[in-house]
Every structure is written in C-alpha cells, then in structure tokens.
Amino acid sequence: MSFRGIFCFCDEEDSGHACLLAKPYTGYLLYSFHVKPDTYEVGVIYVHSPELRKLGIKELHLVKAIKIKK
C-alpha cells in the first residue's frame, strides 16, 4: 500500500496526521494520539476508505509494548 501525501490536521476536538491512499484504494487514514485514558494505547488510526472498510478494517489501535516480568 502506498500513500499520496501526509499532512497535519487540527480542529477544536482533535489533532494528528492524515494521509491519502494511492490507487487502487480511495480515501484516507487519520492518525490521532488522543486515546482513552488508563489504557496501553498510544495512538489510533481511523480508516476512511470504502475498500478497506469492506474488509472489516475500521480502526487500528496502537499499543505500548510492555515486558512481562518473570
């Protein structure tokens, strides 16, 4: 998958980065670091592409890697 461009966005509720998808996909991905508090999430990517949403991909949640103590 390739991207046509990456740009910043900022509004009253959120800020982050977005990228337009290249052919054969249409739409864009939106990255935000505003996540639910008290979780291991560090960011979320919202999928705004009809082709990817048909595959069931709506959001990608990025989580902090943790080491389990033995």
Side-chain angles (χ1 to χ4, degrees), residues 42-58:
V42 295
V44 62
I45 298 172
Y46 298 100
V47 177
H48 295 276
S49 168
E51 296 86 2
L52 295 174
R53 289 180 74 92
K54 283 181 187 176
L55 297 173
I57 303 171
K58 298 178 182 179

Side-chain angles (χ1 to χ4, degrees), residues 4-5 10-15 19 25 27-28 40 43 48-49 51-52 54 60 62 65 67-68 70:
R4 292 189 300 197
C10 183
D11 62 23
E12 295 174 2
E13 297 179 12
D14 202 2
S15 62
C19 67
Y25 301 100
Y28 58 97
Y40 289 108
H48 295 276
S49 168
E51 296 86 2
L52 295 174
K54 283 181 187 176
L60 302 169
L62 308 173
K67 293 183 180 180
I68 299 174
K70 293 183 182 182

